[in-house]
């Protein structure tokens, strides 16, 4: 299930003034005094993600921007919706916005997907080393780790093993920027900047999704692919 927010800035400021940690903080603060109020402090999968703010241009007074939050947990989306539906103003960090609209909706799973935020995977999480195509050159490792992570989250959420036949995806086309697949995303937390490395994809395709596999692909579409989903990474949209 998904929640789309359309909001209008009340002043001009750079796009990067609102980073992913800012949005995560907005979501957690919105959930205070709900059944999800302690989610941030619980050491487990959060089962939600969100898109990059779009369009990805500088904020201009009066020009609307949008954000989509997704989760397989309908109660989570309902809790956010109930807290936001009657609001006129929201804050993302120090910036105030007019909340133009809040809309709940669901999307059916398709065979083809596009990323709405970079997919992040660790090469070695003990060393805090991210997988980088430019350095590691191993699409098989990327696919294997991506599937392992998705299966682990699915099992944690449903308490069962998913059925997956063949590869997680049969066709993958990256979005290349400046000749590279890797994307470096700057995050600021408590005033301290750090960088997360991911990759963006204009096509992730499974040639045939069986009836038995549909639940799994619906899950990863709603929950996100890869790691750091609750920080707004791995957001997927279906393609016709």
């Amino acid at each position: 299930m998904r929640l789309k927010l359309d909001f209008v800035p009340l002043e001009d400021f750079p796009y990067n003034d609102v980073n992913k940690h800012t949005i995560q903080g907005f979501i957690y603060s919105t959930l205070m005094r709900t059944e999800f109020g302690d989610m941030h402090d619980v050491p487990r999968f959060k089962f939600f993600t969100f898109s990059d703010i779009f369009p990805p241009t500088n904020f201009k007074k009066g020009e609307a921007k949008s954000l989509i939050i997704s989760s397989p947990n309908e109660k989570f989306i309902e809790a956010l919706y109930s807290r936001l539906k009657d609001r006129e103003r929201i804050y993302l960090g120090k910036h105030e916005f007019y909340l133009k609209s809040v809309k709940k909706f669901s999307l059916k799973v398709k065979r083809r997907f596009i990323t709405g935020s970079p997919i992040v995977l660790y090469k070695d999480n003990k060393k805090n080393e991210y997988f980088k195509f430019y350095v590691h050159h191993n699409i098989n490792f990327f696919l294997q780790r991506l599937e392992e992570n998705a299966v682990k989250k699915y099992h944690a959420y449903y308490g069962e093993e998913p059925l997956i036949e063949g590869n997680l995806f049969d066709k993958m086309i990256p979005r290349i920027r400046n000749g590279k697949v890797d994307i470096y995303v700057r995050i600021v937390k408590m005033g301290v900047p750090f960088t997360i490395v991911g990759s963006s994809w204009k096509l992730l395709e499974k040639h045939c999704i069986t009836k038995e596999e549909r639940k799994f692909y619906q899950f990863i579409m709603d929950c996100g692919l890869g790691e750091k989903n609750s920080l707004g990474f791995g957001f997927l949209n279906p393609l016709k």
Side-chain angles (χ1 to χ4, degrees):
M1 194 172 186
R2 299 186 171 211
L3 190 70
K4 184 184 180 189
L5 279 62
D6 297 315
F7 43 88
V8 180
L10 304 183
E11 59 182 332
D12 296 352
F13 56 93
Y15 182 77
N16 290 334
D17 265 16
V18 178
N19 65 66
K20 288 185 171 295
H21 189 259
T22 311
I23 299 169
Q24 185 192 59
F26 162 74
I27 292 172
Y28 285 141
S29 64
T30 303
L31 291 169
M32 289 178 63
R33 295 180 297 279
T34 74
E35 63 178 294
F36 301 98
D38 64 347
M39 173 183 281
H40 180 266
D41 300 318
V42 178
R44 63 187 184 208
F45 294 123
K46 305 301 190 290
F47 304 113
F48 77 90
T49 190
F50 52 88
S51 70
D52 292 339
I53 291 177
F54 58 96
T57 54
N58 287 336
F59 293 90
K60 298 291 183 182
K61 182 178 179 180
E63 293 184 6
K65 297 283 189 184
S66 299
L67 170 73
I68 300 175
I69 304 166
S70 67
S71 174
N73 190 338
E74 292 188 12
K75 289 184 178 180
F76 174 86
I77 297 297
E78 290 284 354
L80 284 172
Y81 177 76
S82 66
R83 285 304 181 96
L84 293 170
K85 62 184 178 67
D86 296 322
R87 284 197 196 176
E88 294 185 356
R89 297 285 193 272
I90 61 171
Y91 283 87
L92 296 176
K94 63 182 179 180
H95 297 291
E96 185 180 8
F97 297 81
Y98 163 66
L99 186 56
K100 186 178 179 181
S101 67
V102 183
K103 178 184 177 183
K104 292 183 298 181
F105 65 103
S106 297
L107 295 174
K108 292 183 178 180
V109 69
K110 304 289 185 181
R111 295 185 300 106
R112 306 165 77 235
F113 306 89
I114 187 173
T115 56
S117 64
I119 293 174
V120 173
L121 286 173
Y122 279 114
K123 179 66 169 61
D124 188 336
N125 60 356
K126 293 182 179 178
K127 297 180 179 179
N128 201 35
E129 179 186 9
Y130 295 107
F131 176 87
K132 307 178 189 73
F133 282 95
Y134 180 73
V135 175
H136 302 117
H137 311 288
N138 193 337
I139 188 66
N140 289 327
F141 175 90
F142 179 81
L143 267 173
Q144 180 182 349
R145 182 61 63 87
L146 200 63
E147 182 174 331
E148 288 173 354
N149 178 267
V151 168
K152 186 177 180 180
K153 284 184 293 192
Y154 181 96
H155 183 269
Y157 189 78
Y158 286 112
E160 62 186 39
E161 296 295 326
L163 175 65
I164 311 170
E165 296 182 3
N167 295 321
L168 184 64
F169 298 110
D170 299 308
K171 186 176 182 180
M172 306 174 68
I173 302 177
R175 184 177 286 110
I176 298 174
R177 300 176 183 176
N178 301 319
K180 296 181 180 179
V181 177
D182 300 316
I183 297 173
Y184 291 74
V185 181
R186 185 174 182 268
I187 307 291
V188 179
K189 183 178 181 180
M190 305 295 289
V192 179
F194 60 97
T195 300
I196 294 176
V197 185
S199 56
S200 183
W201 300 82
K202 56 186 178 181
L203 179 65
L204 298 169
E205 181 177 0
K206 176 78 170 177
H207 293 332
C208 178
I209 296 178
T210 65
K211 182 179 179 181
E212 292 75 19
E213 292 175 310
R214 191 164 298 276
K215 182 178 178 181
F216 172 74
Y217 282 91
Q218 183 76 52
F219 174 79
I220 63 173
M221 186 180 73
D222 290 336
C223 187
L225 266 178
E227 305 186 61
K228 298 190 178 296
N229 300 139
S230 65
L231 196 53
F233 290 97
F235 181 90
L236 292 183
N237 273 320
L239 282 172
K240 293 181 179 180

